[in-house]
Amino acid sequence: MIDDVYKVKVENIFEGPMDLLIHLIKKNEVDIYDIPVALITDQYLEYLEWIQAMNLDLAGDFLLMASTLAHIKSRMLLPFHGEENEEEDPRMELARPLLEYMKMKSAAEELAGRYILGEHIFTRKTGEPDFNPKSRDTFVQIGLFELVEAFKRLLDNASAAHQVNFTDDQISVKDRIAEIVEILEKRGSITFWELFFTKNDRSMIVITFLAILEMVKSAIVRVVQNTQTGSIRLFHI
Amino acid sequence: MTDNLKNIIESLIFVSETPLTLDRIQKSVPHADIHDIRSAIETLIQEHESRKGGFFLKEVAGGYQFRTRPKYHEWIKNMIQPNPVRLSKAALETLAIIAYKQPIIRNDIEHIRGVDCGGIIRTLMERKLVRILGRKEIPGRPLIYATTKYFLEFFDLKDLKDLPTPKEIDAMENLSETIVEENEASPESITEE
C-alpha cells in the first residue's frame, strides 16, 4: 500500500504526454523510427490510469495523446491502398514530434550545463536596474492618459495640411513597431518626441502612436516621464 | 599610443555594467581606428588569460565584459549570497525551444512540449531571458517570442550562433545510419578506442 502511494508520486514527474512517451520509449529500448505502437499504447494507458486517479486536470493533455496513439494504432491495422510508398508510416506522426522534443530536451540540458551568470560566473555588478539610477533625472511610470495627452499636443502642433494623398505608400503599425524596436535595441531608450520628430504628417503620427500603444500593451517598452523636464521616454524591456 | 588605447579600452570595459560593444568603444574613443581597437581588445584578452587571475575578459552577448572564473564561484557566493538563479527543467526546456526556434509563437512552443507553457513563458519574461518581438499576422495575432541579450549574458554566450548544437539527437540519427551501414567499419569508433 505504501509502495502504491509512492509510485503515484513518481508518475507525477511526467510533466506532459510527450515526457511520458519518451520515458516509455527509453524504458522499452525501442527504436523511435519503429515504435511498437500496440505495446506503447498499452503501457501509456496503464500510466494514464494512475495519473487520472491522482489529478484529473492533468489527464486532459494526456487523453489527447492517448487518442492519437489509438488512432495511429488503428491506422496501422488498415491495409494499404494504391502505391505503397505514397502512404507514409503513420507512426512518423509520433516519431517526428518526439524527435523534435528530445532534441530540445538535450538542448535544455546543454544550456543547464553551461556556466551560468550569478551561479558560476559573476560580473562586477549583477542584476543591473532597468534604467540608470545614477543619473540625476528621476522618472515616474506613466499611464495611458499621460500618453494620450502628449498625443493630443502632438496633433495640435502637426502641420494642418488638408490634403489626402491616396498614392502614398503607408507604413503599417507592425512595420513601425519593428522600426522603433530597432532604434531601441541600438540605443536602449528614446524620447516620445523624437519618435515623431522626422515623420510628422498626421497619418504617420497616428501610426507611430498606435505602435507605441501596442508596444506598451505587449510589454515591449516601459514608458516613463522625467519629473524635471516632463519629457516622456520609452525604455526597451 | 597602442598601449594607451589598450588601457583606455580596459578602463571602459571595467566601468561598463553590461558587455561593452565595439560600437560603444568606438564612440567613446572616436579618434581610434576600429582595427586598432580590435587588436587592443585581443591583446587585453590574451593578457588576462596569461595572468590567470580571478577574472578574465570575455566576449559575451555581442560585447566585452570582465567575468570571474567559474572555479571561484563558491567563495563569491560566500560573500554576496545571490538570489538563486536556477531554472526548473520545464523552464529550461521552454527556454531552449525559444532560443533555438526563435522567433516563435506560444502555440508552436506548446506543440513541441505538449503542455501549456503560458506560466513558464511569463516567468522567463520576468527573468528577462525572453522578450516579445511583436505579433504574428495570423488569426488571433499571437505574440512572437525571442530571447534577450541578457539570455546571452546569462548562459555565457557570444551570440545566438554560439548556442551549443543539441547532441543527443545527432547521436541517435547517426545510430540509425550506422544500423544501415553496419558492415562498414566506422573510423570514429576506432580512433575513440
Side-chain angles (χ1 to χ4, degrees):
Chain A
M1 187 60 211
I2 288 163
D3 270 3
D4 282 354
V5 174
Y6 180 63
K7 217 174 173 183
V8 171
K9 284 203 166 167
V10 170
E11 306 323 338
N12 274 343
I13 61 166
F14 301 115
E15 215 215 326
M18 299 286 272
D19 246 359
L20 175 50
L21 269 187
I22 287 174
H23 168 76
L24 290 178
I25 285 166
K26 278 187 179 159
K27 198 184 86 179
N28 289 294
E29 290 177 352
V30 295
D31 183 357
I32 196 154
Y33 291 104
D34 188 23
I35 300 169
V37 182
L39 175 75
I40 296 292
T41 308
D42 285 348
Q43 291 187 2
Y44 184 89
L45 291 174
E46 213 173 288
Y47 276 94
L48 211 62
E49 272 171 40
W50 279 110
I51 296 164
Q52 229 165 351
M54 275 300 288
N55 189 338
L56 258 175
D57 198 33
L58 198 68
D61 284 334
F62 286 84
L63 282 175
L64 181 66
M65 180 59 86
S67 70
T68 309
L69 280 171
H71 185 217
I72 292 171
K73 190 176 153 190
S74 66
R75 271 165 60 196
M76 294 289 291
L77 296 172
L78 291 174
F80 285 121
H81 292 297
E83 292 285 309
E84 216 173 287
N85 51 8
E86 266 178 34
E87 294 260 354
E88 197 196 38
D89 189 336
R91 290 174 301 177
M92 278 313 284
E93 231 173 79
L94 210 56
R96 229 178 282 117
L98 275 175
L99 278 169
E100 185 68 33
Y101 184 48
M102 287 167 93
K103 189 169 164 183
M104 287 302 122
K105 270 178 108 67
S106 93
E109 277 163 27
E110 293 264 355
L111 281 182
R114 294 190 68 81
Y115 291 131
I116 286 170
L117 188 66
E119 177 72 31
H120 310 102
I121 289 187
F122 295 83
T123 57
R124 238 171 29 76
K125 196 179 176 208
T126 45
E128 73 270 6
D130 292 340
F131 41 83
N132 193 355
K134 268 174 258 148
S135 73
R136 273 165 292 129
D137 299 334
T138 46
F139 293 96
V140 286
Q141 278 302 93
I142 59 166
L144 181 63
F145 290 111
E146 286 87 348
L147 267 184
V148 170
E149 201 177 299
F151 178 58
K152 199 175 150 286
R153 255 190 293 159
L154 254 181
L155 279 186
D156 291 344
N157 294 339
S159 56
H162 288 288
Q163 294 168 323
V164 179
N165 193 344
F166 286 104
T167 54
D168 216 11
D169 261 344
Q170 288 295 353
I171 172 177
S172 72
V173 174
K174 197 185 109 207
D175 293 339
R176 187 68 180 137
I177 291 177
E179 277 182 23
I180 298 173
V181 167
E182 207 170 290
I183 297 171
L184 286 174
E185 275 188 339
K186 236 181 257 163
R187 300 177 32 185
S189 77
I190 189 168
T191 63
F192 189 74
W193 306 110
E194 267 180 287
L195 282 173
F196 297 96
F197 196 67
T198 46
K199 315 196 167 175
N200 56 356
D201 71 284
R202 276 185 116 77
S203 65
M204 197 59 211
I205 289 175
V206 172
I207 284 167
T208 303
F209 187 65
L210 287 177
I212 293 171
L213 289 183
E214 186 69 44
M215 289 166 84
V216 172
K217 189 177 155 214
S218 316
I220 299 173
V221 292
R222 175 196 305 275
V223 182
V224 293
Q225 190 166 30
N226 190 311
T227 48
Q228 302 284 315
T229 62
S231 71
I232 295 171
R233 194 168 263 277
L234 279 73
F235 281 91
H236 199 220
I237 297 182
Chain B
M1 178 54 219
T2 358
D3 251 14
N4 195 20
L5 177 66
K6 195 187 75 189
N7 289 345
I8 291 169
I9 293 171
E10 189 175 30
S11 70
L12 292 178
I13 298 172
F14 179 76
V15 165
S16 176
E17 283 180 7
T18 50
L20 193 61
T21 59
L22 268 181
D23 208 40
R24 281 185 63 200
I25 297 174
Q26 171 108 78
K27 271 191 192 126
S28 314
V29 200
H31 64 273
D33 182 71
I34 187 78
H35 297 291
D36 292 341
I37 294 177
R38 265 182 221 278
S39 67
I41 292 172
E42 218 31 67
T43 317
L44 277 172
I45 291 176
Q46 297 297 331
E47 279 182 12
H48 280 276
E49 207 42 65
S50 57
R51 197 176 73 94
K52 294 205 186 331
F55 60 89
F56 61 113
L57 184 57
K58 189 161 195 291
E59 186 179 355
V60 67
Y64 297 88
Q65 190 174 45
F66 288 118
R67 309 199 126 198
T68 62
R69 288 194 197 276
K71 59 176 165 185
Y72 303 120
H73 74 271
E74 277 177 48
W75 287 273
I76 295 165
K77 277 158 95 176
N78 284 345
M79 186 182 84
I80 56 172
Q81 277 121 31
N83 297 325
V85 293
R86 285 199 182 276
L87 293 161
S88 70
K89 205 175 118 229
L92 269 168
E93 275 176 31
T94 309
L95 187 57
I97 292 168
I98 295 173
Y100 282 86
K101 306 274 170 185
Q102 60 185 308
I104 187 169
I105 59 171
R106 178 172 151 189
N107 196 25
D108 291 345
I109 302 168
E110 289 175 348
H111 185 75
I112 294 175
R113 292 197 62 232
V115 280
D116 182 275
C117 298
I120 297 171
I121 294 174
R122 212 171 310 125
T123 314
L124 290 173
M125 282 179 61
E126 278 162 17
R127 296 281 301 268
K128 304 226 182 290
L129 294 165
V130 164
R131 68 194 172 114
I132 293 165
L133 212 60
R135 283 179 187 275
K136 198 167 179 179
E137 292 304 322
I138 56 170
R141 309 217 307 128
L143 294 168
I144 306 168
Y145 296 97
T147 52
T148 58
K149 239 185 182 165
Y150 180 67
F151 165 83
L152 298 173
E153 288 179 49
F154 189 78
F155 286 107
D156 199 27
L157 295 161
K158 255 192 251 181
D159 47 42
L160 284 174
K161 278 180 238 124
D162 200 22
L163 274 172
T165 356
K167 269 183 201 133
E168 198 182 331
I169 249 35
D170 293 345
M172 287 197 35
E173 274 160 11
N174 290 339
L175 192 84
S176 57
E177 276 164 28
T178 43
I179 292 167
V180 181
E181 316 158 17
E182 216 166 19
N183 298 330
E184 293 173 38
S186 156
E188 282 163 32
S189 61
I190 294 167
T191 46
E192 259 174 30
E193 282 308 304

